[in-house]
Amino acid sequence: MGDPSRSHGLSLPVRRRQVLAAGLAGLVVVSLPRSALARPSLEEAIKTFTGGAEVLDGRVRLELPPLVENGNAVGVTIAAESPMTAADHVIRIGLFNEKNPEANVVIFHLGSRSGRAKVSTRIRLATSQVVVAVAEMSDGSFWSSRASAIVTLAACIEDLS
Amino acid sequence: MARALINVPKTARRGEIVEIRAMIAHPMETGYRMGTNGASIPRDIIRRFACGYDGEEVFSAELFPAMSANPFIAFTLVATASGAITFAWTDDAGETQTVSAEMAVS
Amino acid sequence: MRALWGLAGVAVAFVCSMVAATGLENGEKRSGFDFMTPETQALQTDDMSNPGMLWVLQGEQLWQQPEGRAEIACAGCHGDAGQTMGGVAARYPAFDEAIGRPIDLAGRINSCRAARQRAEPLAPESDELLALTTYVAHQSRGMPVAPATDARIAPFRDNGRRLFQSRIGQLDLSCASCHDANWGRRLGGSVIPQAHPNGYPLYRLEWQAVGSLQRRLRNCMIGVRAEPFAFGAPEFVDLELYLMERARGLPIETPGVRP
């Protein structure tokens, strides 16, 4: 019931059915590109966030526990090196995953009044995978950090009745 | 009323960086799960979180289904003036729940 | 996936058949908290991080709210829960004269609703019932589990022990097969805890919500492929009586957090 790993496989048939229905209705769905049926890749999601700008390694630290007891609530902390002044600060921090049904996790909007570029939250990881944090600085540069987690599943499954 | 837990220091010195924590009761239903009868459970998530303080929005977040149920967000603010810090969570239906807390700045 | 866990269950059953089922020795009594990762432990110990506190907060509001045809709030009779409810969860289930058998905390809340507030009972596992139960149990946090020494409940507790030790389901496992004989070992990726009730109602990450001890017990029964008792079944109260006796001395943790 609460197992996020179930969700991944479930998303595709629904979308295929929608595509089929659309095709039967005589709409122009002759050859949808393969990517329209799947989620955007991690890299594609980051590219959407950055608008295609170059992403450099460093200045961001993503903390993620390496071994996760339950993927429904994984604590993450993202911190970026920035003076957080009016002239030089972090504008946005985006968090993206590799294998959930959707690539986006959360996008934080910060500013000089944040004082520090440090945010903590709890996220869902459907399975063991890579997570990437990307920070956009006020000078237009993008910096990133990646981490991976192994997600174990509970041995005793939930009541479905 | 909103079932939310927020943690704001009661007092702060001007210019001090304070930590703010906010958590609201919400299932964050992803839209990818099936119920007992095999029917998919419709998506119902908090889409946006915003924090206002001293005249403007100072922090916000766009949330996606990969955010945990009962979403928790911790961040920082520079204490600039005494007054209310407001928190607003907006869901898929466009409904907003708000909570506020006072911080005295000296 | 289910088949895999089925295999794991058979493996455990095999191990269990070799290890004689024994009760817990006093010195080795450990809360499920001790078997969690530091990250999950931190979720429980920090009230501002513990999602279970959202139910405590709701319970606090419901406690003050007049209900039913009597239009009276819990607080109308019991006053400040901080003063009057401390220690209650540590000694429950207790004997109930009206029904002539023990009643658990959630059952007591519903019987209070019927008799005093003249209100409809709250559904099992409803947010409202969980919130009130969690709020009341939270008033005992840190107090040692100290079951009532009421002679009238002894036969029910004995029945609870019998249920705990009875093999059930297609996997032919008893509670004791795992939680007495094999605690501390692993079942899949999870450590098998000693199955203490001292954190309930608690927030399970698997549930993404607060749930009752009965919900957990039903999960276990389904896990061994047995037909679970219905919510509110007297067998669950008997089992809880035995579990509380078995957990005597452990601190109440409500709202606990478990993976």
Side-chain angles (χ1 to χ4, degrees):
Chain A
M1 191 173 161
D3 181 355
S5 70
R6 292 175 208 280
S7 54
H8 189 62
L10 297 178
S11 61
L12 283 174
V14 173
R15 289 186 192 173
R16 282 206 196 99
R17 206 172 299 137
Q18 281 166 351
V19 170
L20 259 176
L24 288 170
L27 295 172
V28 191
V29 203
V30 184
S31 62
L32 264 178
R34 183 107 197 109
S35 61
L37 297 174
R39 53 154 265 175
S41 71
L42 181 57
E43 279 65 31
E44 285 162 347
I46 293 170
K47 203 173 165 190
T48 303
F49 179 74
T50 61
E54 185 189 9
V55 181
L56 304 161
D57 274 340
R59 286 189 68 180
V60 180
R61 199 174 67 251
L62 168 62
E63 284 174 29
L64 187 68
L67 188 66
V68 173
E69 273 183 300
N70 189 301
N72 282 336
V74 184
V76 297
T77 297
I78 308 149
E81 288 166 30
S82 166
M84 295 305 272
T85 59
D88 183 2
H89 56 263
V90 176
I91 296 174
R92 291 189 299 163
I93 295 173
L95 193 61
F96 308 93
N97 69 76
E98 181 194 6
K99 290 179 178 171
N100 281 8
E102 291 182 32
N104 290 341
V105 177
V106 63
I107 298 170
F108 298 111
H109 296 256
L110 298 81
S112 58
R113 293 188 57 185
S114 298
R116 254 195 302 271
K118 186 179 176 190
V119 188
S120 297
T121 190
R122 297 201 278 259
I123 69 169
R124 290 173 168 141
L125 293 178
T127 182
S128 302
Q129 58 182 303
V130 172
V131 178
V132 177
V134 181
E136 179 184 8
M137 305 294 178
S138 53
D139 66 2
S141 63
F142 289 90
W143 301 81
S144 80
S145 167
R146 63 177 57 210
S148 59
I150 293 170
V151 178
T152 62
L153 295 176
C156 296
I157 44 179
E158 167 73 317
D159 179 4
L160 286 173
S161 62
Chain B
M1 88 169 268
R3 261 170 79 200
L5 285 169
I6 49 177
N7 188 19
V8 169
K10 284 195 169 62
T11 60
R13 292 184 316 278
R14 194 175 307 278
E16 183 183 346
I17 298 171
V18 295
E19 198 199 18
I20 310 287
R21 289 191 279 177
M23 174 164 59
I24 188 165
H26 197 283
M28 292 297 281
E29 192 57 59
T30 61
Y32 294 99
R33 299 199 306 167
M34 280 190 185
T36 49
N37 53 3
S40 71
I41 305 171
R43 178 183 133 142
D44 173 21
I45 70 164
I46 299 274
R47 232 182 247 198
R48 187 177 144 77
F49 166 75
C51 172
Y53 170 52
D54 193 13
E56 61 182 355
E57 188 172 290
V58 287
F59 180 89
S60 70
E62 298 161 55
L63 287 71
F64 296 87
M67 286 289 275
S68 296
N70 309 301
F72 168 92
I73 298 176
F75 56 99
T76 56
L77 290 180
V78 180
T80 49
S82 294
I85 302 180
T86 61
F87 302 86
W89 293 264
T90 306
D91 66 14
D92 276 334
E95 280 175 29
T96 301
Q97 302 184 69
T98 55
V99 169
S100 72
E102 296 287 326
M103 181 169 71
V105 176
S106 55
Chain C
M1 192 46 122
R2 275 168 181 268
L4 254 183
W5 291 127
L7 271 180
V10 171
V12 167
F14 179 67
V15 172
C16 295
S17 67
M18 299 189 298
V19 181
T22 51
L24 293 174
E25 302 295 329
N26 248 338
E28 59 186 22
K29 209 176 275 186
R30 288 168 68 189
S31 167
F33 179 90
D34 295 354
F35 298 96
M36 310 196 297
T37 62
E39 289 84 6
T40 315
Q41 288 181 340
L43 263 187
Q44 176 176 319
T45 49
D46 176 6
D47 279 351
M48 277 312 304
S49 294
N50 185 336
M53 292 306 288
L54 291 165
W55 277 257
V56 172
L57 178 75
Q58 186 186 8
E60 189 179 3
Q61 290 161 1
L62 291 172
W63 183 262
Q64 308 287 345
Q65 190 174 300
E67 284 285 314
R69 292 195 302 283
E71 285 189 41
I72 191 168
C74 305
C77 293
H78 299 287
D80 177 2
Q83 301 289 321
T84 60
M85 292 293 124
V88 172
R91 64 179 166 79
Y92 256 64
F95 193 82
D96 183 59
E97 303 273 359
I99 58 170
R101 53 164 293 118
I103 194 167
D104 64 4
L105 207 46
R108 165 64 72 214
I109 288 167
N110 262 338
S111 86
C112 235
R113 278 180 70 84
R116 314 280 176 214
Q117 298 180 312
R118 289 189 283 141
E120 293 301 308
L122 297 167
E125 301 308 293
S126 62
D127 261 350
E128 290 81 6
L129 185 57
L130 288 169
L132 273 170
T133 313
T134 306
Y135 176 63
V136 171
H138 179 63
Q139 308 308 319
S140 302
R141 187 165 68 169
M143 298 181 181
V145 170
T149 50
D150 184 334
R152 292 171 299 178
I153 61 176
F156 300 95
R157 184 183 293 135
D158 287 345
N159 188 44
R161 178 190 287 108
R162 186 189 62 77
L163 289 167
F164 189 86
Q165 293 170 345
S166 301
R167 291 178 177 272
I168 54 169
Q170 291 173 328
L171 298 189
D172 198 30
L173 291 170
S174 69
C175 309
S177 312
C178 288
H179 300 288
D180 272 352
N182 283 292
W183 63 266
R185 296 188 180 179
R186 282 182 177 272
L187 183 58
S190 315
V191 179
I192 301 171
Q194 294 178 350
H196 292 302
N198 57 318
Y200 284 88
L202 57 71
Y203 191 94
R204 275 197 92 206
L205 303 184
E206 183 65 23
W207 296 336
Q208 308 187 69
V210 162
S212 71
L213 177 63
Q214 294 196 3
R215 180 174 179 184
R216 188 67 193 87
L217 294 173
R218 281 174 56 90
N219 284 180
C220 259
M221 295 182 79
I222 290 160
V224 300
R225 314 291 183 264
E227 180 69 31
F229 301 128
F231 281 110
E235 286 88 347
F236 277 140
V237 179
D238 295 356
L239 255 175
E240 184 176 351
L241 278 169
Y242 175 63
L243 289 174
M244 287 294 274
E245 182 57 47
R246 197 166 157 272
R248 182 184 283 279
L250 286 178
I252 296 285
E253 297 173 13
T254 313
V257 175
R258 297 291 183 271

